[in-house]
Amino acid sequence: MILVDDDNEIRKGLPLRTRAIKTNPDVLPTTPISQLLWDDFWGTPLTHSGSHKSYRPLTVLSFRLNYMASEFQPRSYHVTNVALHVAATGLFAVLARTLTPHARLARTAAPLLFAAHPIHTEAVAGVVGRADVGAAIFFLGALLSYMRYCGCSRGNVNGSAGGRVGRKAWLGAALVSATLSMLTKEHGITALAVCAAYHVFVHARLRPRDLLSILTERRHRGVAEGLAALGAALVVLLSCRLAIMGSQPPEFSPADNPAADCDSPAVRSLTFFFLPAFNAWLLLCPYTLSFDWSMEAIPLITSIADPRNLASFALYAVLALLAMTVLLSLRRRRPGEDAASGETTTSGDVTVMGLALMLLPFLPATNLFFYVGFVVAERILYIPSMGACLLVGWGAHLLHARARTARARRLLHGALIILFLLFAARTWSRNRDWATEENLYRSGIAINPPKAYGNLANILSSQGKKEEAEWAYKKALSYRSNMADVHYNLGILFQEQKRYEEALQEYKLAIQFRPRMAMAHLNMGLVLGLMGQKAEAAEVYRHCSQLDGSGLKDPRTHEATKISALFNLGRLYADDGNFERAIGVYQEAVEKMPPHYQPQSLYNMLGEAFFKLEKFDDAERWYLEALKVKADHVPAHLTYGKLLAKMQRIGEAEEWFERAKTLAPNDSTVHQHFGQFLSEVERHEAAADHYVKAAQLAPSEYEIIFNAANTLRQAGRNKQAEDYYRQAVLLRPQEATSHMNLGAMLHVNGKLLEAESSYLEALRLKPDDSITRTNLQKLRHLLAKKGISPSR
């Protein structure tokens, strides 16, 4: 994203994960809190065609609370994430103890492995991963509450009034928790399915052939009641979700999920079959991790001969084997058999819950029901990892129970300890990658080089390492030449270095690959203007202002950029003295600007155009509008002060200049304008003080230095004036006016031969300047009177 301020400052955009917080208006207290219910995770209305449809109002609310506590200081956000992970681990430990009450090794190993699992680093260390951690907490709350509900209804549904109230309270708590989980992240709704699996296969201990009897037999009324409540909640939640998000599905870039964009059904199928196997491997061996797996970081499977198909086959074979084991266990049951009646039965229960926790929350990410905007996302494995850890812990318990010697048990304990330490070490190492953005992007180069190099270049550029940034941008493009964002950011880099031709070429390439990229159009217009190609710049600005924004990921920025294009078009006309035309464009921008656009600069420039036409009443109205929108807008203070001075309201004018100085005491422009005002009312001493302050703040700005020298001369501070004229000459040695004024000051200060040298240099640069010639004649006449020979 870019913002064009009064001085055309250009800013780079933020990664999507950062945009969910830093540029999300819903995080700010100024946005009505009710707006969280209608916007997606990035602050875009859900009904907009460019919305990601990610509906997570509770997560955004938590960011808002963090902002109220510490604004954008990252520490509080990270501490909150860690605290949530601790809470999730605690709840998972309660679940493991409930499911395996007599298996100490299982109920100890499972939560420890979960706590240290490296796959969680993104969800905990990455602030936006809070959605997954928060959803997991409510998910576990729903499951534990539903298990209590099932416990209250053991035996039959008839009982005391207190028992019925308690049972319904636990059911209500489960449904509310599942809703909160979904409002934290979408896949939290799968808590309802896991609750159903627990009720049917673990609590009621039904065999597959008994499932239909739930609807017909009185003895299963408790199960029917629970499943009816879960089903009704599922229908209501999905209906509300669809109603809020609108009828349009989200749109994703082909780079986000290349397989979904592939025309071949065979390639799509083979790739989608493999991705769960890849995720399973990350759960088992989380060594190779990345912040981003898009852009074919995992190449498409285009042939049945691809060896990765063996991994797919292995996964589904293992799942089939586990399913068959569970089914055989279920078939041997008698309905209502107590879970503690035998280890085989308990083993089936734990396996059912482990598979349910691992598979059901992962289903939305499989592309089975709808395409998703990612290939692999480590954070979405936060809840499924509970199932994996539970199965590993239970497997360790079974091995321990079957171990015939103490040595075998010690070896098993040692293996679990080593696994925990390996997980902890990898998590510690991965946290170092997440400590800074530069570390994170460097760590992803081996997995996703185009995305990693592109993001790394942004970081290097922001650190002032321009040569390294340019190398990284070009490296990213060497892997994937059609990345519009990288071309755009490289264009910004060239523009900052005043390499305008190269910047222009990069902006054109960005537009070629993304024709509706308003930011590239806007900056191309800026570059054309700087190159003096004003007609071409005006054409680009106008085209930018008319770009369609439907279906774009960041419609707020797109619409704001279109208004910025009109703003800069108006400035282009104003700079050419065509103020009437500039006013027309500015007013068009005012009519079209979206509610989130910050219009103070636009209003200020509109007032400036009226001021130039000496329509002072209109100018004053727009200056005041700018100040109403943003009371601390310094440029409006300065321009309004100039207007009041022009209208001979001197006292009021000075008050506005004083306010500007209070708001920005270290802004050289403020002191420059204040000094100009004081000079115009002939308060030369005070004017000189402000110009000196401005010169101290901006020692390389020629205009400020030169004007400071002039004002010091008017105040009679000739020695200081001489020093500043010398500084002006150093800044612009080819500027004849600098040498002429230095000569005049030296002349006044009695340094006649130095004055003559400055006059001669001024005439060398501008031979026909009559004032310099006259001053030189006077000087030489004075030299003659003093009997001093001229230098030449």
Side-chain angles (χ1 to χ4, degrees), residues 318-330:
V318 170
L319 290 178
L321 181 62
L322 287 172
M324 289 179 61
T325 302
V326 170
L327 285 173
L328 289 173
S329 175
L330 294 175

Side-chain angles (χ1 to χ4, degrees), residues 493-511:
L493 180 66
F494 288 148
Q495 185 174 344
E496 290 171 346
Q497 297 175 329
K498 299 183 179 180
R499 296 159 63 180
Y500 296 134
E501 290 287 354
E502 293 170 276
L504 194 61
Q505 181 61 27
E506 293 302 325
Y507 291 142
K508 288 179 179 178
L509 286 170
I511 292 168

Side-chain angles (χ1 to χ4, degrees), residues 465-485:
K465 301 175 182 177
K466 303 300 183 182
E467 291 184 6
E468 294 179 58
E470 181 179 345
W471 172 84
Y473 282 133
K474 291 180 177 179
K475 192 72 174 176
L477 292 171
S478 72
Y479 284 95
R480 193 179 182 92
S481 61
N482 63 346
M483 292 191 292
D485 286 336

